[in-house]
Amino acid sequence: MSTKAPLKSLLLTAAFCLAAAPAALADTIKIGVQPWLGYGPLWVAAEKGFFKEAGVEVELVNFNWDQDLTAGLASGNLHLVAAATNTTLVNINQNIPVVGILVMDEASTADAVIAGDAIKTIADLKGKSVAYERGATSDLLLNYALKANGMSLADVTPVPMGASEAGLALIAGRVDAAVTYEPYISTALRQDDKASVIYTAAEKPGLISDLLVGNPDWVKANQKDLEAVIRGWDMAVNFVRENPAEGGQMIADAVGAPMEEFEPAFKGVHLFTSKENAEILKGQYQDTVAAIGGIMIETNPEDITRIVPAEELLNTDAVLAVAAQ
């Protein structure tokens, strides 16, 4: 079984004490990522040389936690990060300067709630312990699932932890259920045949999506470099679609998943090229942002107090320029 490279660790605990001014453009653009299938084209673009072909040097830096990515961006150690739409909305609500430049992906069955054999539905979670990562996509999915079933977090025992640890906690019997994403879902199901998926993001299309995000001032000052990054992304998405075996293996290796788990899991993710961004940005994505904001205000009022309009969430200059080429 192929395994991903060891995750790099950055000591960024003091990042938010630093000024949020954008870092000067380095020779290499550093992009922070987590082991999520939807970010796969970034690894493919790096490995196949698509970023270089597009005219930019890119280094991918791996993390496990959303807050470390945000801290790296705030401190200037990273130029861009891959982040969920809901995470970006929380950051803006907390006055952290971020803006999205590309809608990367949307998940359906690749984000899910999994539980032991005694739990078959969301309603069965009442009074049970649930592992999930606060402020991340798992937080949004759990809150939406509970609300859709007439419940709230007050009806369960929250156990905050990283998505990479949640499935393991379920298998070890430390929690009754876990909210996580692929490849961790498939890993948990493979290791415990009594565990099963009881709810997925497919119940609310568009709920779970991801952006490529940067500091607004840095983004505004480096549009040509961002266009090159997006061209590299486009080449990688098209390569994966045209060469699913080779492209899929690269992504599986990057996230540490065996192909037998990766292939069914990847079907639960849709990737967006720049041209597809141009289409969904005609109104579809804006509607999704408003829906996500509404859910978050209702379920996590301590994290988000206002719905951020799409024009504040996104700087679409680079992606629309590439789409028009």
Side-chain angles (χ1 to χ4, degrees):
M1 180 184 75
S2 298
T3 57
K4 64 178 179 291
L7 297 179
K8 298 179 183 178
S9 175
L10 297 182
L11 299 178
L12 299 170
T13 55
F16 290 111
C17 295
L18 300 177
L25 178 60
D27 292 334
T28 299
I29 293 179
K30 293 184 177 181
I31 302 178
V33 295
Q34 295 183 77
W36 160 240
L37 306 181
Y39 305 156
L42 293 174
W43 288 294
V44 173
E47 186 168 339
K48 296 295 291 185
F50 294 145
F51 287 131
K52 289 184 179 180
E53 184 178 340
V56 68
E57 293 284 342
V58 168
E59 177 188 350
L60 303 181
V61 185
N62 296 304
F63 292 84
N64 263 343
W65 289 82
D66 281 3
Q67 64 260 34
D68 292 336
L69 285 166
T70 304
L73 187 64
S75 67
N77 285 288
L78 300 171
H79 299 97
L80 299 168
V81 300
T85 296
N86 62 294
T87 300
T88 308
L89 292 175
V90 169
N91 287 339
I92 293 173
N93 267 263
Q94 295 176 351
N95 297 315
I96 298 171
V98 291
V99 68
I101 67 159
L102 171 74
V103 183
M104 304 171 74
D105 67 82
E106 177 182 293
S108 54
T109 56
D111 278 76
V113 182
I114 55 178
D117 60 353
I119 298 174
K120 303 300 182 184
T121 67
I122 293 297
D124 293 338
L125 292 178
K126 190 174 181 65
K128 304 297 184 180
S129 56
V130 184
Y132 70 101
E133 184 174 350
R134 269 190 53 82
T137 55
S138 297
D139 190 332
L140 177 62
L141 180 59
L142 176 60
N143 274 286
Y144 179 80
L146 291 170
K147 181 177 182 294
N149 284 271
M151 302 166 65
S152 71
L153 280 178
D155 293 304
V156 302
T157 302
V159 183
M161 66 177 66
S164 61
E165 303 165 322
L168 296 176
L170 173 65
I171 294 169
R174 292 188 283 118
V175 294
D176 299 305
V179 191
T180 186
Y181 51 76
E182 295 289 8
Y184 306 125
I185 297 169
S186 294
T187 298
L189 298 180
R190 177 170 54 87
Q191 294 183 15
D192 185 354
D193 58 8
K194 294 182 180 180
S196 65
V197 173
I198 65 169
Y199 198 90
T200 75
E203 298 289 340
K204 177 63 175 177
L207 181 68
I208 306 298
S209 59
D210 295 282
L211 303 170
L212 196 57
V213 174
N215 176 283
D217 291 336
W218 187 89
V219 164
K220 187 176 180 180
N222 292 280
Q223 287 291 303
K224 292 302 180 183
D225 295 283
L226 294 177
E227 289 178 25
V229 169
I230 294 170
R231 285 196 300 271
W233 167 270
D234 278 358
M235 285 188 275
V237 172
N238 290 328
F239 179 85
V240 171
R241 291 174 178 174
E242 295 167 6
N243 305 275
E246 184 180 356
Q249 187 66 64
M250 290 180 188
I251 299 172
D253 289 346
V255 301
M259 280 300 285
E260 60 266 26
E261 294 179 4
F262 167 81
E263 289 175 334
F266 198 54
K267 294 178 181 178
V269 180
H270 179 78
L271 304 171
F272 293 100
T273 64
S274 61
K275 291 187 182 301
E276 290 166 342
N277 265 253
E279 286 301 312
I280 64 174
L281 290 173
K282 292 178 179 178
Q284 175 186 335
Y285 184 72
Q286 289 87 334
D287 291 343
T288 297
V289 170
I292 293 172
I295 293 167
M296 294 179 70
I297 284 178
E298 188 170 344
T299 59
N300 278 323
E302 71 277 13
D303 291 330
I304 181 168
T305 58
R306 68 182 180 94
I307 296 177
V308 178
E311 55 267 25
E312 181 181 348
L313 175 69
L314 298 170
N315 180 323
T316 61
D317 292 347
V319 69
L320 294 181
V322 175
Q325 293 172 0

